[in-house]
Structures are given as C-alpha cells and as structure tokens.
Amino acid sequence: MSAFDGLGAIEPQALFEGIAARAVHGDRITLAVVELDPDSVLPEHSHENEQLGIVLRGSLTFRIGTEERLLGPGETWRIPPNTPHFARTGSQGAVVIDVFAPPREDWEAAERLKGRPPRWP
Amino acid sequence: MSAFDGLGAIEPQALFEGIAARAVHGDRITLAVVELDPDSVLPEHSHENEQLGIVLRGSLTFRIGTEERLLGPGETWRIPPNTPHFARTGSQGAVVIDVFAPPREDWEAAERLKGRPPRWP
C-alpha cells in the first residue's frame, strides 16, 4: 500500500445531510477534508476522539462547548474528547480539514458517494 | 483558553533551514501549517510520532521509506512511526499541513520567528 494518496482518488462519505468527507486513516490519526454545503448544519454531537481542524475555504459558525465563533480560512479549532460541538455554514458553504485521534473507525459504515469530484483545491 | 485560534496569531517556528511551522497542539495531536521556501530541503529524518499530511499550495518531492512522489495541492501522505522521510521543494516552494500523534513536544525548543505573516491562505 502506498504512503501517498490524493483527494481525487478517495471516495467521499456522507457524514450528515450536506456534509461529506474524504479521509486518510493512519494507525493513530484520521485526516479528513470535509465539504459542507451552503446553509448546512453539523448537528451538535460529541465523541471520544480528540479533534483539531482548520478552514480551507468559505466560512462557518462553530460552537465548542459554550464558545461560538465565525471562522474563515486559516482559522483553527481544538475539541477535547467528549465535548459537544456544532457548526453551520452560510451561503458560501465551506471546505475544512478535520483531524482525529484515535482514528474514526466508526466512519467505516458511512455511505460512499459515487462520482463526486472534490470541491477543493 | 479558547478552543479557537488563527494562523495570523500563531508565532511561526523554524524547523529546518527555509522551513517554518505554525502549530496548534492538542493532548493527542499536533496540527501544523508548514511553509517551505523555494528550493528548500527537509533533510531525511524520522520520529516516533505518526505523521499524516496534505499539500495546500505549491509542490514538493516527498520520499517516505523508499517510495518517492512529486505532490501538488490535495495530495496526501502517511508516515508510520520511525520511518525515514525526506522532501524538497522546487522553484514555487510549498505550504502543507502536517499532523502528528503524539504531539510534537520536541518543537517547544524550536526558534520563534518574529513578524512573519502567514503565506497561506
């Protein structure tokens, strides 16, 4: 198995309505490029995985615990394990990177979306 | 301490000659935006941290173990613990994201570079 891959070759998976991810899984980390449709909602949820991320394109309102912020490209977040978080996009949508440790093994079951080219880069 | 941050507020650190990183550290993960000057060299090295990454801008030739590839935006890598890796940029340089688990505590000692604005986004 190659050490290298590319977004164009990775099948996206539907995480929530209007939110899809292309993921690279290591033994300790999952790195995902996540596309959020315009006016989409990441419902409040939490998980044991620590999560860090950064906006690549567009913008989104992110809430972690009780702290809420409107984020654009180059802005980052850090979500401790088991901390409720929520996000919503505006009319532009967003593309972000999210990384998780341990890896998101629970994504194995997420629906694969066929024939959808990456929106970024 | 806020869950949020931004590249413009994070002091870059010199990792190697011509290579600087802005890092967000969690308890399990470091997420870094790494700027590589044109014609710079990441000398072959290895570390116990697993490392995944993706090119944001520009291009670089990456070697992991014995596998070598020229990578552009949207292309990814996965470096197992203790695996030698090397990279060099061409005339454009590159900006990449690297993530590590466990976090890069050894970067604590890396030189801080003052007054240098982010090259990306």
Side-chain angles (χ1 to χ4, degrees):
Chain A
M1 190 153 138
S2 174
F4 301 105
D5 211 334
L7 294 183
I10 300 172
E11 222 164 33
Q13 294 179 268
L15 300 186
F16 293 97
E17 178 73 31
I19 301 177
R22 286 176 169 80
V24 178
H25 300 286
D27 288 334
R28 301 175 188 171
I29 310 170
T30 289
L31 183 157
V33 176
V34 181
E35 299 174 348
L36 300 100
D37 286 352
D39 301 311
S40 62
V41 171
L42 178 78
E44 184 173 90
H45 68 292
S46 63
H47 39 68
E48 206 285 318
N49 321 69
E50 181 176 55
Q51 177 177 350
L52 275 65
I54 185 167
V55 181
L56 297 180
R57 180 179 290 169
S59 65
L60 74 173
T61 299
F62 217 120
R63 190 174 68 228
I64 299 173
T66 58
E67 191 183 8
E68 186 169 301
R69 193 85 72 90
L70 175 62
L71 304 175
E75 295 190 289
T76 67
W77 51 91
R78 191 178 42 207
I79 307 172
N82 304 309
T83 303
H85 51 288
F86 158 92
R88 61 185 151 75
T89 58
S91 61
Q92 303 175 80
V95 181
V96 310
I97 285 181
D98 277 307
V99 299
F100 303 89
R104 293 300 302 259
E105 291 179 359
D106 53 313
W107 285 4
E108 187 53 45
E111 181 195 355
R112 262 80 181 162
L113 303 169
K114 304 282 181 193
R116 173 177 154 148
R119 295 181 189 166
W120 178 92
Chain B
M1 190 153 138
S2 173
F4 301 105
D5 210 335
L7 294 184
I10 300 172
E11 222 165 33
Q13 294 180 269
L15 300 185
F16 294 97
E17 177 75 29
I19 301 177
R22 285 176 170 79
V24 178
H25 300 285
D27 289 333
R28 302 176 186 170
I29 309 171
T30 289
L31 183 157
V33 176
V34 182
E35 300 173 348
L36 302 99
D37 286 352
D39 303 312
S40 62
V41 171
L42 177 79
E44 183 173 89
H45 68 291
S46 63
H47 38 69
E48 207 283 319
N49 321 68
E50 182 176 53
Q51 176 178 351
L52 276 65
I54 186 167
V55 180
L56 297 180
R57 180 179 289 168
S59 64
L60 72 174
T61 299
F62 217 120
R63 191 174 66 228
I64 298 172
T66 58
E67 191 183 7
E68 187 169 301
R69 195 85 73 89
L70 175 63
L71 305 175
E75 295 190 289
T76 68
W77 51 93
R78 191 177 44 208
I79 306 172
N82 304 310
T83 303
H85 51 289
F86 158 93
R88 61 185 151 76
T89 58
S91 60
Q92 303 175 81
V95 181
V96 310
I97 285 181
D98 277 307
V99 298
F100 303 89
R104 292 301 301 259
E105 292 179 358
D106 54 313
W107 285 5
E108 187 54 44
E111 180 194 357
R112 261 81 179 161
L113 303 169
K114 304 282 180 193
R116 173 176 154 148
R119 297 181 188 167
W120 178 94

PDB file of all heavy atoms in Angstrom, chain B residues 9-40:
ATOM      1  N   ALA B   9      -2.295  34.662  14.309  1.00  0.00           N
ATOM      2  CA  ALA B   9      -1.994  34.895  15.728  1.00  0.00           C
ATOM      3  C   ALA B   9      -1.004  33.870  16.291  1.00  0.00           C
ATOM      4  O   ALA B   9      -0.621  33.953  17.454  1.00  0.00           O
ATOM      5  CB  ALA B   9      -3.284  34.855  16.538  1.00  0.00           C
ATOM      6  N   ILE B  10      -0.599  32.916  15.473  1.00  0.00           N
ATOM      7  CA  ILE B  10       0.302  31.856  15.950  1.00  0.00           C
ATOM      8  C   ILE B  10       1.720  32.152  15.473  1.00  0.00           C
ATOM      9  O   ILE B  10       1.945  32.333  14.269  1.00  0.00           O
ATOM     10  CB  ILE B  10      -0.148  30.471  15.430  1.00  0.00           C
ATOM     11  CG1 ILE B  10      -1.561  30.154  15.926  1.00  0.00           C
ATOM     12  CG2 ILE B  10       0.833  29.391  15.843  1.00  0.00           C
ATOM     13  CD1 ILE B  10      -2.155  28.892  15.310  1.00  0.00           C
ATOM     14  N   GLU B  11       2.668  32.207  16.399  1.00  0.00           N
ATOM     15  CA  GLU B  11       4.047  32.520  16.038  1.00  0.00           C
ATOM     16  C   GLU B  11       4.664  31.342  15.283  1.00  0.00           C
ATOM     17  O   GLU B  11       4.589  30.200  15.744  1.00  0.00           O
ATOM     18  CB  GLU B  11       4.851  32.782  17.322  1.00  0.00           C
ATOM     19  CG  GLU B  11       5.786  33.947  17.221  1.00  0.00           C
ATOM     20  CD  GLU B  11       6.265  34.368  18.610  1.00  0.00           C
ATOM     21  OE1 GLU B  11       6.412  33.493  19.494  1.00  0.00           O
ATOM     22  OE2 GLU B  11       6.478  35.564  18.803  1.00  0.00           O
ATOM     23  N   PRO B  12       5.264  31.627  14.124  1.00  0.00           N
ATOM     24  CA  PRO B  12       5.911  30.531  13.397  1.00  0.00           C
ATOM     25  C   PRO B  12       7.211  30.117  14.083  1.00  0.00           C
ATOM     26  O   PRO B  12       7.840  30.915  14.778  1.00  0.00           O
ATOM     27  CB  PRO B  12       6.197  31.132  12.027  1.00  0.00           C
ATOM     28  CG  PRO B  12       6.254  32.601  12.246  1.00  0.00           C
ATOM     29  CD  PRO B  12       5.370  32.909  13.415  1.00  0.00           C
ATOM     30  N   GLN B  13       7.585  28.873  13.881  1.00  0.00           N
ATOM     31  CA  GLN B  13       8.831  28.348  14.437  1.00  0.00           C
ATOM     32  C   GLN B  13       9.683  27.761  13.320  1.00  0.00           C
ATOM     33  O   GLN B  13       9.157  27.126  12.403  1.00  0.00           O
ATOM     34  CB  GLN B  13       8.517  27.260  15.461  1.00  0.00           C
ATOM     35  CG  GLN B  13       7.793  27.784  16.679  1.00  0.00           C
ATOM     36  CD  GLN B  13       7.506  26.664  17.657  1.00  0.00           C
ATOM     37  OE1 GLN B  13       6.442  26.045  17.580  1.00  0.00           O
ATOM     38  NE2 GLN B  13       8.429  26.389  18.536  1.00  0.00           N
ATOM     39  N   ALA B  14      10.987  27.951  13.420  1.00  0.00           N
ATOM     40  CA  ALA B  14      11.919  27.430  12.413  1.00  0.00           C
ATOM     41  C   ALA B  14      12.194  25.962  12.711  1.00  0.00           C
ATOM     42  O   ALA B  14      12.672  25.624  13.800  1.00  0.00           O
ATOM     43  CB  ALA B  14      13.219  28.218  12.444  1.00  0.00           C
ATOM     44  N   LEU B  15      11.862  25.087  11.750  1.00  0.00           N
ATOM     45  CA  LEU B  15      12.098  23.654  11.962  1.00  0.00           C
ATOM     46  C   LEU B  15      13.417  23.216  11.340  1.00  0.00           C
ATOM     47  O   LEU B  15      14.184  22.450  11.917  1.00  0.00           O
ATOM     48  CB  LEU B  15      10.959  22.831  11.353  1.00  0.00           C
ATOM     49  CG  LEU B  15       9.558  23.097  11.892  1.00  0.00           C
ATOM     50  CD1 LEU B  15       8.572  22.123  11.279  1.00  0.00           C
ATOM     51  CD2 LEU B  15       9.535  22.996  13.414  1.00  0.00           C
ATOM     52  N   PHE B  16      13.629  23.674  10.103  1.00  0.00           N
ATOM     53  CA  PHE B  16      14.872  23.427   9.367  1.00  0.00           C
ATOM     54  C   PHE B  16      15.137  24.703   8.574  1.00  0.00           C
ATOM     55  O   PHE B  16      14.265  25.571   8.477  1.00  0.00           O
ATOM     56  CB  PHE B  16      14.723  22.232   8.406  1.00  0.00           C
ATOM     57  CG  PHE B  16      14.526  20.907   9.080  1.00  0.00           C
ATOM     58  CD1 PHE B  16      13.253  20.376   9.241  1.00  0.00           C
ATOM     59  CD2 PHE B  16      15.610  20.173   9.542  1.00  0.00           C
ATOM     60  CE1 PHE B  16      13.069  19.149   9.861  1.00  0.00           C
ATOM     61  CE2 PHE B  16      15.432  18.937  10.162  1.00  0.00           C
ATOM     62  CZ  PHE B  16      14.155  18.428  10.320  1.00  0.00           C
ATOM     63  N   GLU B  17      16.290  24.798   7.968  1.00  0.00           N
ATOM     64  CA  GLU B  17      16.622  25.948   7.120  1.00  0.00           C
ATOM     65  C   GLU B  17      15.549  26.112   6.037  1.00  0.00           C
ATOM     66  O   GLU B  17      15.287  25.184   5.268  1.00  0.00           O
ATOM     67  CB  GLU B  17      18.003  25.696   6.473  1.00  0.00           C
ATOM     68  CG  GLU B  17      18.464  26.757   5.516  1.00  0.00           C
ATOM     69  CD  GLU B  17      18.937  28.021   6.239  1.00  0.00           C
ATOM     70  OE1 GLU B  17      19.415  27.907   7.385  1.00  0.00           O
ATOM     71  OE2 GLU B  17      18.789  29.117   5.653  1.00  0.00           O
ATOM     72  N   GLY B  18      14.866  27.270   6.030  1.00  0.00           N
ATOM     73  CA  GLY B  18      13.859  27.535   4.997  1.00  0.00           C
ATOM     74  C   GLY B  18      12.522  26.862   5.236  1.00  0.00           C
ATOM     75  O   GLY B  18      11.650  26.882   4.359  1.00  0.00           O
ATOM     76  N   ILE B  19      12.319  26.268   6.417  1.00  0.00           N
ATOM     77  CA  ILE B  19      11.071  25.542   6.704  1.00  0.00           C
ATOM     78  C   ILE B  19      10.545  25.996   8.068  1.00  0.00           C
ATOM     79  O   ILE B  19      11.230  25.853   9.087  1.00  0.00           O
ATOM     80  CB  ILE B  19      11.295  24.016   6.690  1.00  0.00           C
ATOM     81  CG1 ILE B  19      11.821  23.591   5.314  1.00  0.00           C
ATOM     82  CG2 ILE B  19      10.016  23.265   7.057  1.00  0.00           C
ATOM     83  CD1 ILE B  19      12.154  22.113   5.185  1.00  0.00           C
ATOM     84  N   ALA B  20       9.335  26.572   8.069  1.00  0.00           N
ATOM     85  CA  ALA B  20       8.756  27.119   9.303  1.00  0.00           C
ATOM     86  C   ALA B  20       7.334  26.596   9.492  1.00  0.00           C
ATOM     87  O   ALA B  20       6.607  26.382   8.513  1.00  0.00           O
ATOM     88  CB  ALA B  20       8.744  28.647   9.248  1.00  0.00           C
ATOM     89  N   ALA B  21       6.933  26.413  10.742  1.00  0.00           N
ATOM     90  CA  ALA B  21       5.617  25.844  11.043  1.00  0.00           C
ATOM     91  C   ALA B  21       4.870  26.698  12.052  1.00  0.00           C
ATOM     92  O   ALA B  21       5.457  27.229  12.993  1.00  0.00           O
ATOM     93  CB  ALA B  21       5.778  24.438  11.605  1.00  0.00           C
ATOM     94  N   ARG B  22       3.558  26.818  11.834  1.00  0.00           N
ATOM     95  CA  ARG B  22       2.641  27.348  12.856  1.00  0.00           C
ATOM     96  C   ARG B  22       1.829  26.168  13.371  1.00  0.00           C
ATOM     97  O   ARG B  22       1.140  25.510  12.584  1.00  0.00           O
ATOM     98  CB  ARG B  22       1.704  28.392  12.251  1.00  0.00           C
ATOM     99  CG  ARG B  22       2.376  29.723  11.975  1.00  0.00           C
ATOM    100  CD  ARG B  22       1.445  30.678  11.283  1.00  0.00           C
ATOM    101  NE  ARG B  22       2.007  32.016  11.223  1.00  0.00           N
ATOM    102  CZ  ARG B  22       2.931  32.406  10.345  1.00  0.00           C
ATOM    103  NH1 ARG B  22       3.392  31.560   9.436  1.00  0.00           N
ATOM    104  NH2 ARG B  22       3.394  33.647  10.377  1.00  0.00           N
ATOM    105  N   ALA B  23       1.889  25.922  14.667  1.00  0.00           N
ATOM    106  CA  ALA B  23       1.319  24.689  15.210  1.00  0.00           C
ATOM    107  C   ALA B  23       0.214  24.949  16.224  1.00  0.00           C
ATOM    108  O   ALA B  23       0.274  25.896  17.010  1.00  0.00           O
ATOM    109  CB  ALA B  23       2.422  23.864  15.872  1.00  0.00           C
ATOM    110  N   VAL B  24      -0.806  24.095  16.182  1.00  0.00           N
ATOM    111  CA  VAL B  24      -1.834  24.004  17.217  1.00  0.00           C
ATOM    112  C   VAL B  24      -1.633  22.649  17.892  1.00  0.00           C
ATOM    113  O   VAL B  24      -1.621  21.620  17.202  1.00  0.00           O
ATOM    114  CB  VAL B  24      -3.248  24.083  16.611  1.00  0.00           C
ATOM    115  CG1 VAL B  24      -4.308  23.940  17.694  1.00  0.00           C
ATOM    116  CG2 VAL B  24      -3.437  25.389  15.848  1.00  0.00           C
ATOM    117  N   HIS B  25      -1.475  22.673  19.211  1.00  0.00           N
ATOM    118  CA  HIS B  25      -1.211  21.430  19.921  1.00  0.00           C
ATOM    119  C   HIS B  25      -2.419  21.008  20.747  1.00  0.00           C
ATOM    120  O   HIS B  25      -2.957  21.806  21.527  1.00  0.00           O
ATOM    121  CB  HIS B  25      -0.019  21.596  20.865  1.00  0.00           C
ATOM    122  CG  HIS B  25       1.258  21.979  20.183  1.00  0.00           C
ATOM    123  ND1 HIS B  25       2.003  21.080  19.444  1.00  0.00           N
ATOM    124  CD2 HIS B  25       1.927  23.158  20.107  1.00  0.00           C
ATOM    125  CE1 HIS B  25       3.081  21.700  18.968  1.00  0.00           C
ATOM    126  NE2 HIS B  25       3.056  22.959  19.338  1.00  0.00           N
ATOM    127  N   GLY B  26      -2.849  19.782  20.576  1.00  0.00           N
ATOM    128  CA  GLY B  26      -3.846  19.192  21.449  1.00  0.00           C
ATOM    129  C   GLY B  26      -3.166  18.253  22.432  1.00  0.00           C
ATOM    130  O   GLY B  26      -1.941  18.296  22.601  1.00  0.00           O
ATOM    131  N   ASP B  27      -3.969  17.424  23.089  1.00  0.00           N
ATOM    132  CA  ASP B  27      -3.385  16.455  24.024  1.00  0.00           C
ATOM    133  C   ASP B  27      -2.860  15.228  23.295  1.00  0.00           C
ATOM    134  O   ASP B  27      -1.979  14.533  23.797  1.00  0.00           O
ATOM    135  CB  ASP B  27      -4.435  16.020  25.050  1.00  0.00           C
ATOM    136  CG  ASP B  27      -4.744  17.136  26.026  1.00  0.00           C
ATOM    137  OD1 ASP B  27      -3.866  18.002  26.253  1.00  0.00           O
ATOM    138  OD2 ASP B  27      -5.868  17.160  26.563  1.00  0.00           O
ATOM    139  N   ARG B  28      -3.451  14.962  22.114  1.00  0.00           N
ATOM    140  CA  ARG B  28      -3.069  13.745  21.367  1.00  0.00           C
ATOM    141  C   ARG B  28      -2.471  14.053  20.006  1.00  0.00           C
ATOM    142  O   ARG B  28      -1.883  13.176  19.367  1.00  0.00           O
ATOM    143  CB  ARG B  28      -4.308  12.867  21.145  1.00  0.00           C
ATOM    144  CG  ARG B  28      -5.005  12.457  22.407  1.00  0.00           C
ATOM    145  CD  ARG B  28      -6.283  11.666  22.091  1.00  0.00           C
ATOM    146  NE  ARG B  28      -7.037  11.394  23.296  1.00  0.00           N
ATOM    147  CZ  ARG B  28      -8.280  10.904  23.310  1.00  0.00           C
ATOM    148  NH1 ARG B  28      -8.887  10.626  22.174  1.00  0.00           N
ATOM    149  NH2 ARG B  28      -8.893  10.689  24.451  1.00  0.00           N
ATOM    150  N   ILE B  29      -2.715  15.278  19.493  1.00  0.00           N
ATOM    151  CA  ILE B  29      -2.395  15.628  18.107  1.00  0.00           C
ATOM    152  C   ILE B  29      -1.730  16.996  18.054  1.00  0.00           C
ATOM    153  O   ILE B  29      -2.143  17.916  18.771  1.00  0.00           O
ATOM    154  CB  ILE B  29      -3.676  15.763  17.248  1.00  0.00           C
ATOM    155  CG1 ILE B  29      -4.595  14.558  17.376  1.00  0.00           C
ATOM    156  CG2 ILE B  29      -3.337  16.031  15.792  1.00  0.00           C
ATOM    157  CD1 ILE B  29      -5.972  14.764  16.695  1.00  0.00           C
ATOM    158  N   THR B  30      -0.750  17.168  17.172  1.00  0.00           N
ATOM    159  CA  THR B  30      -0.305  18.497  16.730  1.00  0.00           C
ATOM    160  C   THR B  30      -0.750  18.683  15.288  1.00  0.00           C
ATOM    161  O   THR B  30      -0.525  17.788  14.451  1.00  0.00           O
ATOM    162  CB  THR B  30       1.226  18.646  16.812  1.00  0.00           C
ATOM    163  OG1 THR B  30       1.607  18.715  18.184  1.00  0.00           O
ATOM    164  CG2 THR B  30       1.718  19.904  16.099  1.00  0.00           C
ATOM    165  N   LEU B  31      -1.383  19.835  14.985  1.00  0.00           N
ATOM    166  CA  LEU B  31      -1.727  20.206  13.612  1.00  0.00           C
ATOM    167  C   LEU B  31      -0.863  21.413  13.257  1.00  0.00           C
ATOM    168  O   LEU B  31      -0.879  22.423  13.958  1.00  0.00           O
ATOM    169  CB  LEU B  31      -3.210  20.560  13.515  1.00  0.00           C
ATOM    170  CG  LEU B  31      -3.764  20.906  12.119  1.00  0.00           C
ATOM    171  CD1 LEU B  31      -5.283  20.682  12.085  1.00  0.00           C
ATOM    172  CD2 LEU B  31      -3.500  22.349  11.705  1.00  0.00           C
ATOM    173  N   ALA B  32      -0.100  21.313  12.163  1.00  0.00           N
ATOM    174  CA  ALA B  32       0.817  22.382  11.789  1.00  0.00           C
ATOM    175  C   ALA B  32       0.631  22.782  10.334  1.00  0.00           C
ATOM    176  O   ALA B  32       0.434  21.927   9.470  1.00  0.00           O
ATOM    177  CB  ALA B  32       2.258  21.936  12.000  1.00  0.00           C
ATOM    178  N   VAL B  33       0.652  24.101  10.088  1.00  0.00           N
ATOM    179  CA  VAL B  33       0.729  24.615   8.726  1.00  0.00           C
ATOM    180  C   VAL B  33       2.203  24.960   8.486  1.00  0.00           C
ATOM    181  O   VAL B  33       2.770  25.790   9.205  1.00  0.00           O
ATOM    182  CB  VAL B  33      -0.180  25.834   8.525  1.00  0.00           C
ATOM    183  CG1 VAL B  33      -0.002  26.408   7.118  1.00  0.00           C
ATOM    184  CG2 VAL B  33      -1.636  25.441   8.755  1.00  0.00           C
ATOM    185  N   VAL B  34       2.795  24.276   7.522  1.00  0.00           N
ATOM    186  CA  VAL B  34       4.243  24.342   7.315  1.00  0.00           C
ATOM    187  C   VAL B  34       4.543  25.047   5.997  1.00  0.00           C
ATOM    188  O   VAL B  34       4.006  24.667   4.949  1.00  0.00           O
ATOM    189  CB  VAL B  34       4.854  22.920   7.315  1.00  0.00           C
ATOM    190  CG1 VAL B  34       6.372  22.982   7.151  1.00  0.00           C
ATOM    191  CG2 VAL B  34       4.476  22.170   8.594  1.00  0.00           C
ATOM    192  N   GLU B  35       5.376  26.066   6.067  1.00  0.00           N
ATOM    193  CA  GLU B  35       5.793  26.813   4.875  1.00  0.00           C
ATOM    194  C   GLU B  35       7.215  26.405   4.497  1.00  0.00           C
ATOM    195  O   GLU B  35       8.125  26.488   5.336  1.00  0.00           O
ATOM    196  CB  GLU B  35       5.752  28.315   5.159  1.00  0.00           C
ATOM    197  CG  GLU B  35       4.360  28.804   5.535  1.00  0.00           C
ATOM    198  CD  GLU B  35       4.316  30.260   5.978  1.00  0.00           C
ATOM    199  OE1 GLU B  35       5.396  30.848   6.218  1.00  0.00           O
ATOM    200  OE2 GLU B  35       3.201  30.804   6.091  1.00  0.00           O
ATOM    201  N   LEU B  36       7.371  25.966   3.273  1.00  0.00           N
ATOM    202  CA  LEU B  36       8.699  25.567   2.778  1.00  0.00           C
ATOM    203  C   LEU B  36       9.117  26.552   1.690  1.00  0.00           C
ATOM    204  O   LEU B  36       8.409  26.732   0.690  1.00  0.00           O
ATOM    205  CB  LEU B  36       8.671  24.148   2.207  1.00  0.00           C
ATOM    206  CG  LEU B  36       8.214  23.041   3.188  1.00  0.00           C
ATOM    207  CD1 LEU B  36       6.767  22.689   2.963  1.00  0.00           C
ATOM    208  CD2 LEU B  36       9.083  21.786   3.023  1.00  0.00           C
ATOM    209  N   ASP B  37      10.266  27.186   1.888  1.00  0.00           N
ATOM    210  CA  ASP B  37      10.773  28.130   0.895  1.00  0.00           C
ATOM    211  C   ASP B  37      11.021  27.422  -0.444  1.00  0.00           C
ATOM    212  O   ASP B  37      11.187  26.210  -0.480  1.00  0.00           O
ATOM    213  CB  ASP B  37      12.120  28.708   1.363  1.00  0.00           C
ATOM    214  CG  ASP B  37      11.973  29.711   2.496  1.00  0.00           C
ATOM    215  OD1 ASP B  37      10.837  30.097   2.834  1.00  0.00           O
ATOM    216  OD2 ASP B  37      13.025  30.095   3.042  1.00  0.00           O
ATOM    217  N   PRO B  38      11.087  28.211  -1.543  1.00  0.00           N
ATOM    218  CA  PRO B  38      11.535  27.630  -2.806  1.00  0.00           C
ATOM    219  C   PRO B  38      12.906  26.959  -2.640  1.00  0.00           C
ATOM    220  O   PRO B  38      13.756  27.461  -1.889  1.00  0.00           O
ATOM    221  CB  PRO B  38      11.627  28.853  -3.737  1.00  0.00           C
ATOM    222  CG  PRO B  38      10.629  29.818  -3.171  1.00  0.00           C
ATOM    223  CD  PRO B  38      10.699  29.627  -1.676  1.00  0.00           C
ATOM    224  N   ASP B  39      13.083  25.840  -3.311  1.00  0.00           N
ATOM    225  CA  ASP B  39      14.365  25.119  -3.313  1.00  0.00           C
ATOM    226  C   ASP B  39      14.874  24.823  -1.908  1.00  0.00           C
ATOM    227  O   ASP B  39      16.074  24.939  -1.628  1.00  0.00           O
ATOM    228  CB  ASP B  39      15.408  25.899  -4.120  1.00  0.00           C
ATOM    229  CG  ASP B  39      14.940  26.147  -5.559  1.00  0.00           C
ATOM    230  OD1 ASP B  39      14.489  25.179  -6.196  1.00  0.00           O
ATOM    231  OD2 ASP B  39      14.972  27.305  -6.017  1.00  0.00           O
ATOM    232  N   SER B  40      13.960  24.453  -1.019  1.00  0.00           N
ATOM    233  CA  SER B  40      14.374  24.079   0.337  1.00  0.00           C
ATOM    234  C   SER B  40      14.392  22.558   0.467  1.00  0.00           C
ATOM    235  O   SER B  40      13.771  21.837  -0.312  1.00  0.00           O
ATOM    236  CB  SER B  40      13.449  24.703   1.381  1.00  0.00           C
ATOM    237  OG  SER B  40      12.126  24.244   1.217  1.00  0.00           O
TER     238      SER B  40
END
